[in-house]
Amino acid sequence: MPVEIKNLTHVYMKDTIFQHKALNDVSLTIEDGEFIGLIGHTGSGKSTLIQHLNALLKPSSGNIIIDGVDITAKGVSLKKIRQTVGLVFQYPEHQLFEETVYKDVAFGPQNLGLSREEIDLRVKESLMLVGLDYDALKDVSPFELSGGQKRRVAIAGVLAMKPKVLVLDEPTAGLDPKGRDEILGEIRRLHELQKLTVVLVSHSMEDIANLVDRIIVMSKGKVVLTDTPRNVFMQAEVLKNIGLDVPQVTHLVNELNKKGIKIKDCISVDEAFNELVKYLRSN
Amino acid sequence: MTSIISAQNVVFEYISHDDNKVTALDNVSQEIKKGEFVAVLGHNGSGKSTLAKHFNALLLPSKGTVYIKGMDTRNEENTWNIRQTAGMVFQNPDNQIVATVVEEDVAFGPENLGVEPHEIRKRVDEALKTVGMQDYAKDAPHYLSGGQKQRISIAGVLAMKPECMILDEPTAMLDPSGRKEVMETIKRLNKEEGITIILITHFMDEAVQADRVVVMQRGNAIMQGTPKQVFAEIDKLKSVGLDVPQVTELCARLHKEGIDIPLDVLTVEEMVVELCRLK
């Protein structure tokens, strides 16, 4: 299910004094089963971009083709698109509304008109996928759960629609380090087990570095870089100029290189550890 | 230095939805000195926000006492003075901005204190200047970035001339450059304006910039000390669901490998120095 974005431009409040070009001729392809990290500072266009992926926003010009279907064409089934591309917003727990965890997760599939058995199955499966205990939580009010659990229920609600592409807008914002690691671990597992295509929007370069296959960097409505985490984080200056960072260990290695200590570029603590041991043990 | 905040044996209990008694703070004592910059860490539900809300009388202790500049928070007559002394900034700037023009928003606090109009003008200008937002005085807050909005929220508290500012995860919703803007503002308030800072955060790189770090777990302060003392105890921090900066973790692993490197390295700059020393 490749996602092809062709010459996508989006202008907000066109022909008014507030006119603002949020996306400017963006073209990119996301391959089947790819794990993409989308980064860019506030206002770079990343949220505008992901809202096009399930037709919440319509382009001012350009096309989005998902699995051969142009979702910007007239008469296309919006229901089908939204089922194919699941979008998890920032702070998705604010969208919980049902009396019980079960009902909340079942809401989407119910609206698809599925059978009771199928809905049951999907709710169980989705809760399991996000690491929640179905039997213990199905009858609990989602509002009685902890922050991390609420967020998982919200993600399960999207998974219950069985999307092929999962887009998450900063799923770890406001979580503590443990909660963050758990959610990221679950997203990684989803990607591996369900072969989902994942687009993860994040402000944490450390998280992105260790997770994704490819990073897309946006600035001022354009894609400025797209490459593996290693190649992207080697461009520390470019990233800094558009208000982004590199992982702390990458920064460390850059500084060491400046001091004449030559070790290979690193994007994770593991790599830096191995490189430094090698360096310190040499002669 | 004298304490601006003194919490003694504070217990905070409430009744949960299923009628169970929850102890959110379990006999916590803390002295915050005037001019100090204290970072409070702890996982979600550890009691850190509950503690912070006791520092400006948003919550009152079930047992024990909290004094803000000598004022007992349990005495209702003190509430206004306490809130003026200890201002609070929350996570989401959108929930704190009340006006449609930046300078009017900043003026909201002092107006409610009954400050003279010309004095309000002066305070608003000063506060906006302190947070570096003077050029946006006439702008609409909803067109600003997250970091800018959060700095407006801080300016709104500053205009009330507090001696102490409590910030509850002020950067959680911001991008890296927004986080940097806000952290630089907070440090400037502390160093240049002498304002006591209590910063609740999940970001370890922010906590390392404080004078003192307090780690909360199950309603108790389980560790405290300078950032160097606290972050050197990686295993203990990890056991309570917290993290350390990447360079600190790297040092711990190199140390275990038998390499003579200290455990309390917190920044890239320090680590570069240590590694240059080794070779």
Side-chain angles (χ1 to χ4, degrees):
Chain A
M1 176 111 5
V3 178
E4 287 170 80
I5 296 165
K6 289 183 180 166
N7 307 102
L8 177 60
T9 295
H10 189 91
V11 183
Y12 282 113
M13 304 174 91
K14 199 171 165 45
D15 298 328
T16 73
I17 53 163
F18 300 112
Q19 178 165 326
H20 171 67
K21 201 181 257 186
L23 291 175
N24 187 1
D25 198 21
V26 171
S27 293
L28 50 93
T29 302
I30 298 169
E31 296 298 342
D32 229 0
E34 233 187 333
F35 196 155
I36 299 281
L38 183 58
I39 63 176
H41 67 82
T42 314
S44 61
K46 50 188 199 312
S47 292
T48 305
L49 178 68
I50 62 173
Q51 288 179 64
H52 279 86
L53 294 181
N54 72 349
L56 280 178
L57 287 176
K58 291 266 181 196
S60 303
S61 64
N63 305 85
I64 297 135
I65 297 155
I66 296 178
D67 210 20
V69 178
D70 186 344
I71 68 165
T72 59
K74 278 212 168 71
V76 76
S77 158
L78 288 177
K79 204 165 168 179
K80 184 131 186 294
I81 297 167
R82 303 217 169 116
Q83 209 180 321
T84 311
V85 181
L87 189 53
V88 179
F89 287 102
Q90 246 183 68
Y91 294 85
E93 59 274 23
H94 294 169
Q95 296 168 57
L96 298 172
F97 67 102
E98 273 286 11
E99 287 164 26
T100 67
V101 167
Y102 183 96
K103 283 187 185 173
D104 212 291
V105 177
F107 182 77
Q110 241 154 18
N111 279 295
L112 295 177
L114 299 171
S115 70
R116 189 181 288 266
E117 293 73 37
E118 173 66 16
I119 292 172
D120 223 48
L121 195 71
R122 286 195 179 193
V123 173
K124 273 183 195 156
E125 208 179 71
S126 308
L127 286 172
M128 193 194 72
L129 283 169
V130 297
L132 291 177
D133 184 340
Y134 171 84
D135 292 313
L137 293 178
K138 67 177 168 49
D139 297 323
V140 175
S141 160
F143 301 101
E144 290 170 7
L145 304 176
S146 76
Q149 285 176 322
K150 275 188 205 162
R151 193 164 294 182
R152 286 192 183 81
V153 171
I155 296 175
V158 173
L159 291 177
M161 301 290 280
K162 296 226 175 204
K164 304 282 188 330
V165 181
L166 182 65
V167 184
L168 304 112
D169 194 355
E170 288 190 62
T172 62
L175 294 184
D176 58 37
K178 188 160 164 259
R180 180 197 69 203
D181 289 347
E182 282 169 4
I183 291 247
L184 292 176
E186 278 145 20
I187 294 168
R188 185 205 294 258
R189 252 202 337 273
L190 276 173
H191 167 70
E192 284 166 1
L193 296 178
Q194 309 278 308
K195 309 284 178 243
L196 277 181
T197 306
V198 179
V199 178
L200 175 72
V201 177
S202 176
H203 285 322
S204 166
M205 306 304 145
E206 276 88 5
D207 293 347
I208 287 262
N210 293 321
L211 268 180
V212 306
D213 303 324
R214 183 158 65 100
I215 293 180
I216 296 170
V217 186
M218 295 200 61
S219 179
K220 293 184 184 152
K222 283 189 170 290
V223 172
V224 290
L225 281 174
T226 168
D227 212 327
T228 59
R230 184 171 314 281
N231 290 342
V232 166
F233 289 131
M234 274 168 68
Q235 314 265 346
E237 283 304 309
V238 177
L239 292 174
K240 208 172 148 198
N241 286 336
I242 56 171
L244 297 176
D245 259 332
V246 295
Q248 198 183 27
V249 287
T250 310
H251 181 45
L252 172 71
V253 172
N254 290 344
E255 291 303 307
L256 288 173
N257 283 336
K258 278 186 205 158
K259 294 267 178 202
I261 297 178
K262 294 290 176 214
I263 63 172
K264 264 200 284 185
D265 289 297
C266 297
I267 56 170
S268 70
V269 173
D270 283 344
E271 284 178 13
F273 172 72
N274 290 332
E275 285 300 318
L276 282 172
V277 169
K278 218 188 311 169
Y279 163 74
L280 292 166
R281 294 258 159 89
S282 67
N283 51 69
Chain B
M1 281 203 291
T2 48
S3 295
I4 185 161
I5 295 176
S6 169
Q8 285 149 14
N9 308 103
V10 174
V11 173
F12 183 74
E13 294 166 335
Y14 64 93
I15 305 295
S16 76
H17 55 87
D18 45 8
D19 296 329
N20 287 324
K21 195 155 80 173
V22 179
T23 306
L25 292 178
D26 190 6
N27 207 18
V28 177
S29 296
Q30 271 295 321
E31 298 288 327
I32 312 273
K33 294 195 177 66
K34 202 167 158 41
E36 211 180 0
F37 177 178
V38 179
V40 184
L41 297 175
H43 63 77
N44 294 334
S46 60
K48 54 192 193 316
S49 291
T50 307
L51 180 64
K53 285 182 183 143
H54 278 80
F55 291 166
N56 76 341
L58 278 176
L59 292 176
L60 300 177
S62 311
K63 286 181 207 143
T65 51
V66 179
Y67 288 93
I68 312 299
K69 228 177 120 186
M71 295 177 280
D72 188 336
T73 60
R74 290 171 305 177
N75 184 346
E76 248 178 67
E77 283 171 17
N78 289 334
T79 306
W80 274 88
N81 284 333
I82 286 171
R83 300 232 171 108
Q84 207 179 326
T85 307
M88 191 124 178
V89 176
F90 296 94
Q91 188 183 102
N92 188 344
D94 290 324
N95 295 346
Q96 299 165 78
I97 291 175
V98 292
T100 52
V101 179
V102 164
E103 61 178 12
E104 286 175 13
D105 190 79
V106 177
F108 182 81
E111 267 171 5
N112 279 290
L113 294 176
V115 174
E116 293 293 319
H118 67 274
E119 169 69 11
I120 294 180
R121 179 76 258 169
K122 205 172 126 228
R123 286 194 187 186
V124 169
D125 291 343
E126 276 174 12
L128 284 172
K129 205 166 160 221
T130 307
V131 301
M133 289 295 290
Q134 65 273 31
D135 295 341
Y136 296 86
K138 308 277 185 204
D139 284 25
H142 64 280
Y143 283 120
L144 301 176
S145 73
Q148 289 173 327
K149 280 192 274 196
Q150 199 57 293
R151 286 189 282 155
I152 298 300
S153 306
I154 293 174
V157 175
L158 267 185
M160 298 176 70
K161 299 241 172 212
E163 291 173 51
C164 173
M165 208 181 280
I166 302 149
L167 304 106
D168 194 351
E169 294 187 47
T171 63
M173 303 181 79
L174 308 181
D175 65 12
S177 56
R179 282 182 54 203
K180 253 183 224 145
E181 284 169 24
V182 169
M183 275 311 290
E184 270 157 27
T185 305
I186 292 171
K187 279 195 292 182
R188 203 166 54 239
L189 294 181
N190 181 248
K191 300 284 172 295
E192 290 170 19
E193 311 284 322
I195 295 176
T196 308
I197 299 285
I198 296 159
L199 173 69
I200 296 174
T201 184
H202 284 319
F203 293 108
M204 306 303 142
D205 55 331
E206 294 178 2
V208 303
Q209 302 177 39
D211 300 324
R212 179 157 65 99
V213 175
V214 177
V215 180
M216 298 284 297
Q217 159 85 340
R218 290 204 195 97
N220 271 308
I222 56 159
M223 291 166 82
Q224 59 176 314
T226 62
K228 280 187 178 295
Q229 289 165 344
V230 169
F231 287 113
E233 300 204 44
I234 292 189
D235 294 337
K236 196 163 173 194
L237 283 170
K238 290 211 163 170
S239 75
V240 296
L242 297 177
D243 219 342
V244 298
Q246 282 192 330
V247 289
T248 313
E249 174 156 10
L250 195 50
C251 283
R253 289 180 56 181
L254 290 171
H255 190 89
K256 265 188 202 148
E257 196 67 21
I259 288 159
D260 175 29
I261 196 160
L263 290 169
D264 60 358
V265 170
L266 300 179
T267 65
V268 167
E269 291 69 31
E270 287 171 31
M271 179 117 187
V272 169
V273 170
E274 288 299 333
L275 287 168
C276 288
R277 184 185 56 80
L278 280 174
K279 240 349 205 204

